[in-house]
Structure formats: C-alpha cells, structure tokens
Amino acid sequence: MSVLAIVLLVVVAVLVLLFVGGYAGNARRRAARAADLRRRVAAANEALAAAHAEDNGWAPSTVEAAAREAFAAQHPGAPIDELHLVQVVDLPGTDADEAVFRVVSHGADHDIRLGRQGGAWVPAAPSGR
C-alpha cells in the first residue's frame, strides 16, 4: 500500500469522525433547545392562565387549595412536587367556570380539573373536551 493511499485513508477517516461528531452534537443541541422552548411555552401558558383567573376575580390560594385537596383524594399520600394552573375555562355563569391544574408528583404529571358548585371549587366531572 502506498503512502498516498494511507494518507487518503486517514483523511477520510478523520472527515467521517468529524461528520459523525458534528451530527451528534447538533442533535444534542436541538434536543436542548426544544426542551427549553417547551419550558418557556409552559411558563407563558401558566402565566396567561393565572392572569385570566385573576381577571375573573378568582382567589389563587382558594383554587390551589381545592386542587391540592382533589389530588390528595385521588392519590392519597402522594406528595405534590409542583402545581401549575394550566387552563382557565370561563363560560357564562360562575357555576360553569373550570380550572385545570397540572400536578407533578414523583416525576409523573396528573391533570386535575375543578369546577364550581355554589361558589366552592370541587373536582369536575370528566368532560368530553
């Protein structure tokens, strides 16, 4: 085998390694950016839901306490790691209002839907939405 063939083989091997390394690095960067975008969208959605709830005159502590109680009833003894208001459903009349919370417990997400009955926040019956 000639020296030129060995040099070409080494150059091709280096180029292949650079290509594979660049491709893997780009994939990691895209995944990190996608995760960051998902976090930013979730934070914006949560802020929007909170602003909507406040605009409707809902007391955040009251609605959050009801969500915690509903989660505790459905998952006895499970800790709440995070609690996020993710949706406000403001239909005509106060008894038609709904709030949807995302509860994170032991790394798993759970949705809690609350409705109003006589001014109190209670777990809502599953709807077709």
Side-chain angles (χ1 to χ4, degrees):
M1 197 177 222
S2 72
V3 174
L4 181 60
I6 293 173
V7 170
L8 284 177
L9 187 61
V10 169
V11 168
V12 168
V14 168
L15 288 175
V16 168
L17 286 174
L18 287 174
F19 175 78
V20 170
Y23 186 79
N26 188 28
R28 279 194 309 265
R29 191 178 98 234
R30 274 194 323 250
R33 291 176 87 188
D36 182 52
L37 178 62
R38 280 192 298 275
R39 280 191 300 274
R40 290 173 53 203
V41 167
N45 188 36
E46 186 177 343
L48 182 60
H52 190 178
E54 185 176 325
D55 189 44
N56 289 336
W58 298 359
S61 60
T62 304
V63 183
E64 286 180 11
R68 289 177 187 280
E69 289 175 20
F71 180 78
Q74 293 176 10
H75 306 276
I80 295 177
D81 301 325
E82 298 176 35
L83 179 66
H84 305 281
L85 176 62
V86 294
Q87 184 180 13
V88 172
V89 180
D90 183 25
L91 300 174
T94 55
D95 279 352
D97 291 346
E98 291 185 352
V100 180
F101 284 85
R102 171 98 11 97
V103 179
V104 180
S105 178
H106 293 299
D109 291 349
H110 307 274
D111 286 342
I112 300 292
R113 181 176 290 272
L114 301 176
R116 291 178 89 167
Q117 275 184 344
W121 289 99
V122 296
S127 63
R129 289 179 225 214

